[in-house]
Amino acid sequence: MLRFFRCATLILGLVPGAWAAADPQRLVRDVHHLAAPEMKGRASGSPELEKAAEYIAGQFRAAGLDPLVGKSYLQPFTLITGATLGPGNTFEITTPEGRRALHASQDYVPFSFSSRTTATGSVVFAGYGITAPEYNYDDYAHFDVRDKIVLVLRHEPQEFDEKSVFLGRDFTRHASLVSKAINARNHGARALLVVNDRAAHPKEDDALLRFGSTQGPEDSGIPVMQIKAEIAGAWLEPLGKSLNQLQSSIDKTLQPEQLVFPDTLQVAVHVDIERHLATVSNVVAFLPGQTDETIVIGAHYDHLGLGEQDSLAPSLAGQVHPGADDNASGTAGLMELARQLAAERQSLRRGVVFIAFAGEELGLLGSNYYVNHPLKPLDKTAAMINLDMIGRLRNSKLYIGGVGTGSTLKPLVEEAAKKTKFQVEYSAGGFDASDHTSFAAKQVPVLFFFSGLHGDYHKPSDTWDKIDGPSLARVVSLVQDVAERVDRASARPEFVRVAEPRPTATGGGGGGGYGPYFGSIPDFAQEDNGVKFADVRDGSPAGKAGLKAGDVLVEFDGKPIKNLYDFTYALRSKQVGDQVPVRVLRGGEALQVTVTLEQRR
């Protein structure tokens, strides 16, 4: 019943907004189905995600919606879901005493972001492997490690010293393994070996990290692995040194300890990591309208599976993370809207595309795939409405984002919200950590409905029984009212480039949540060979330098940029006011510009 011509209103006695209310029991039932223990958290690439897709497609079919991929509701695409150690990993040590082969997962373990390659060479020790100009500390100062195998300690100096320039008990970004790998690669190392800093953790076992337990890019550019401390310690004994002595010296003086092992010590490694590709599917259905214009309503249906790297309860990784609010609630709302609007299909002015996105938790991959392979033209799309975590309102507070991205959206939404008891907090911008961002980057007006974070977010405790059915139904009814108003309007909203707030020290904005401000929006589907910009914020340093959406960043201040982790590391090493030479590829041609970095506010 979205679109009423005047004559239909008179003949049928209907008025705008007079639809049947969303059914709270049915909504909770759908959430329960998607977030049931046997769905195992709907991880991308899992059989349970496929079951969820089949369920959603079945609900679309039962509501009488049309498929858009031939006779199928599924729009498949491929993504990387993880990695495992292959059978060909080798690590050989050659000394004057002979050759020794180490055993993977027993003596050493590669990290999942290691390059799949071979490296050989002599060994050097470079302290913690940190370059931190903001703390006047550099383990690589005046130390040539080009073409060497670099050995470093985990974590960072003065770990438990609250007076340390390294912030004491809270690790800085320099402690991360990815940062150490990028720094070693930037200094010309052939490979990086990491060893536990046992002087700071004397009561802990010299345990190897579990493969896949540390986050990072698909390929950091060099082989990176952890080795047992006793192995590295044996290399130091002929030199009259020990790892504990070297670490204690650094922690006491904050001066680098650098060692070049004799050339008689040679290391040869081969890393064999099998990347897992999976085919997943967006679930897409369509209600035709009377024109060729459309409205997109979307919600992601994937979640974290058993938690693994992304759980906010790391000690519970391995347990089912049900994802009831995130985002079975939004998916249930999507299916309920499909049922409600299907009953009013004869009144639609504009068609409605319903999309349940896969791959959101891995980086908005499903929505990014859709906007690059749209099943209905994006330039005919009046608005995209995204539902993500709408099942647990507190104090009737509802967040609605994107109201500034369309010329008529805010007054339209405000008018609809007047009829509710929600305490609405509006935001103008269209770039958030959810799927509407992919559409905003393609200059489609967007709206984002969100009930807020809570203590169960990304934890096994995000269960179906905590969903507030009546409130969820009220949100869905408001979304339907908003969609009806967009549909009823004679002209669709014009896209507006919102002057996005400059990110704060805890926000985004191109290359991470702190450090100087750059101003790009990354395209998360770009897997390697640079960082593609989905958009560039108006008035940002990148925008002022002439960078544009679609540019691919390949070099920053003379350092190669292979992925978003490289960009984050490079950006955070700079200061506000620095003028940084940047090289991008635009349409296959190289373009060099200078970006003056600014302060986050």
Side-chain angles (χ1 to χ4, degrees), residues 254-267:
L254 278 185
Q255 295 298 313
E257 287 281 355
Q258 302 165 340
L259 276 176
V260 177
F261 290 90
D263 287 341
T264 52
L265 171 65
Q266 293 288 310
V267 167

Side-chain angles (χ1 to χ4, degrees), residues 452-466:
L453 295 175
H454 45 73
D456 299 311
Y457 172 69
H458 278 202
K459 296 178 181 177
S461 51
D462 182 14
T463 51
W464 72 271
D465 54 300
K466 297 176 182 176

Side-chain angles (χ1 to χ4, degrees), residues 221-472:
I222 57 173
V224 187
M225 59 200 69
Q226 181 186 6
I227 66 172
K228 286 280 194 175
E230 62 176 326
I231 294 170
W235 300 345
L236 289 164
E237 285 180 4
L239 304 179
K241 305 281 186 180
S242 74
L243 286 171
N244 282 356
Q245 290 171 349
L246 293 170
Q247 180 183 344
S248 298
S249 175
I250 299 171
D251 290 353
K252 180 179 180 180
T253 66
L254 278 185
Q255 295 298 313
E257 287 281 355
Q258 302 165 340
L259 276 176
V260 177
F261 290 90
D263 287 341
T264 52
L265 171 65
Q266 293 288 310
V267 167
V269 299
H270 177 74
V271 177
D272 179 18
I273 295 175
E274 297 177 352
R275 314 287 183 198
H276 297 312
L277 298 177
T279 298
V280 299
S281 296
N282 294 327
V283 189
V284 190
F286 183 58
L287 279 176
Q290 298 167 3
T291 71
D292 61 354
E293 296 182 353
T294 59
I295 299 167
V296 173
I297 303 177
H300 78 88
Y301 71 103
D302 63 306
H303 194 56
L304 304 185
L306 303 183
E308 299 171 343
Q309 299 177 16
D310 296 309
S311 175
L312 291 184
S315 65
L316 301 180
Q319 295 187 19
V320 172
H321 286 54
D325 194 25
D326 184 17
N327 184 36
S329 65
T331 306
L334 177 72
M335 292 186 289
E336 184 70 2
L337 287 164
R339 300 180 190 110
Q340 299 282 54
L341 300 184
E344 310 296 341
R345 64 168 66 230
Q346 300 302 320
S347 303
L348 289 172
R349 174 188 178 93
R350 297 177 170 93
V352 183
V353 181
F354 298 88
I355 314 176
F357 298 109
E360 190 269 357
E361 297 288 2
L362 296 178
L364 315 184
L365 300 183
S367 56
N368 192 284
Y369 184 85
Y370 181 86
V371 298
N372 286 295
H373 305 84
L375 299 176
K376 289 291 180 179
L378 295 182
D379 61 1
K380 295 287 187 178
T381 302
M384 187 275 177
I385 301 173
N386 184 31
L387 314 178
D388 195 349
M389 297 182 63
I390 56 172
R392 292 180 59 173
L393 272 76
R394 286 174 293 178
N395 301 318
S396 293
K397 190 168 187 178
L398 179 66
Y399 301 87
I400 304 179
V403 295
T405 62
S407 56
T408 59
L409 287 184
K410 188 171 185 181
L412 180 152
V413 175
E414 287 178 331
E415 187 64 27
K418 283 181 181 178
K419 299 189 301 180
T420 74
K421 296 181 180 180
F422 293 129
Q423 302 297 316
V424 180
E425 181 173 314
Y426 297 102
S427 61
F431 292 104
D432 299 282
S434 191
D435 287 306
H436 58 285
T437 292
S438 299
F439 288 80
K442 296 292 186 180
Q443 301 191 7
V444 175
V446 298
L447 290 171
F448 174 40
F449 288 79
F450 173 58
S451 60
L453 295 175
H454 45 73
D456 299 311
Y457 172 69
H458 278 202
K459 296 178 181 177
S461 51
D462 182 14
T463 51
W464 72 271
D465 54 300
K466 297 176 182 176
I467 297 298
D468 182 349
S471 292
L472 174 56

Side-chain angles (χ1 to χ4, degrees), residues 365-597:
L365 300 183
S367 56
N368 192 284
Y369 184 85
Y370 181 86
V371 298
N372 286 295
H373 305 84
L375 299 176
K376 289 291 180 179
L378 295 182
D379 61 1
K380 295 287 187 178
T381 302
M384 187 275 177
I385 301 173
N386 184 31
L387 314 178
D388 195 349
M389 297 182 63
I390 56 172
R392 292 180 59 173
L393 272 76
R394 286 174 293 178
N395 301 318
S396 293
K397 190 168 187 178
L398 179 66
Y399 301 87
I400 304 179
V403 295
T405 62
S407 56
T408 59
L409 287 184
K410 188 171 185 181
L412 180 152
V413 175
E414 287 178 331
E415 187 64 27
K418 283 181 181 178
K419 299 189 301 180
T420 74
K421 296 181 180 180
F422 293 129
Q423 302 297 316
V424 180
E425 181 173 314
Y426 297 102
S427 61
F431 292 104
D432 299 282
S434 191
D435 287 306
H436 58 285
T437 292
S438 299
F439 288 80
K442 296 292 186 180
Q443 301 191 7
V444 175
V446 298
L447 290 171
F448 174 40
F449 288 79
F450 173 58
S451 60
L453 295 175
H454 45 73
D456 299 311
Y457 172 69
H458 278 202
K459 296 178 181 177
S461 51
D462 182 14
T463 51
W464 72 271
D465 54 300
K466 297 176 182 176
I467 297 298
D468 182 349
S471 292
L472 174 56
R474 290 168 55 211
V475 175
V476 172
S477 293
L478 172 59
V479 174
Q480 186 170 349
D481 190 354
V482 169
E484 187 264 353
R485 292 168 187 271
V486 174
D487 180 76
R488 197 166 64 236
S490 58
R492 66 177 187 261
E494 295 181 6
F495 179 75
V496 177
R497 289 187 62 89
V498 176
E500 300 277 345
R502 182 177 298 188
T504 65
T506 57
Y514 55 91
Y517 176 49
F518 187 83
S520 61
I521 307 295
D523 182 339
F524 292 99
Q526 176 79 7
E527 294 178 355
D528 53 20
N529 300 322
V531 174
K532 185 177 181 179
F533 299 151
D535 204 357
V536 172
R537 298 179 189 271
D538 290 341
S540 68
K544 292 175 183 176
L547 299 180
K548 300 178 180 179
D551 289 348
V552 179
L553 177 67
V554 294
E555 190 174 285
F556 184 96
D557 196 29
K559 301 292 192 303
I561 302 298
K562 295 181 178 294
N563 49 58
L564 189 57
Y565 287 85
D566 284 354
F567 183 25
T568 299
Y569 184 85
L571 180 61
R572 288 176 177 173
S573 70
K574 310 307 289 184
Q575 302 293 323
V576 171
D578 284 352
Q579 294 183 332
V580 181
V582 168
R583 189 163 67 93
V584 300
L585 299 180
R586 179 178 296 171
E589 296 185 3
L591 175 68
Q592 184 97 12
V593 301
T594 299
V595 178
T596 302
L597 302 176

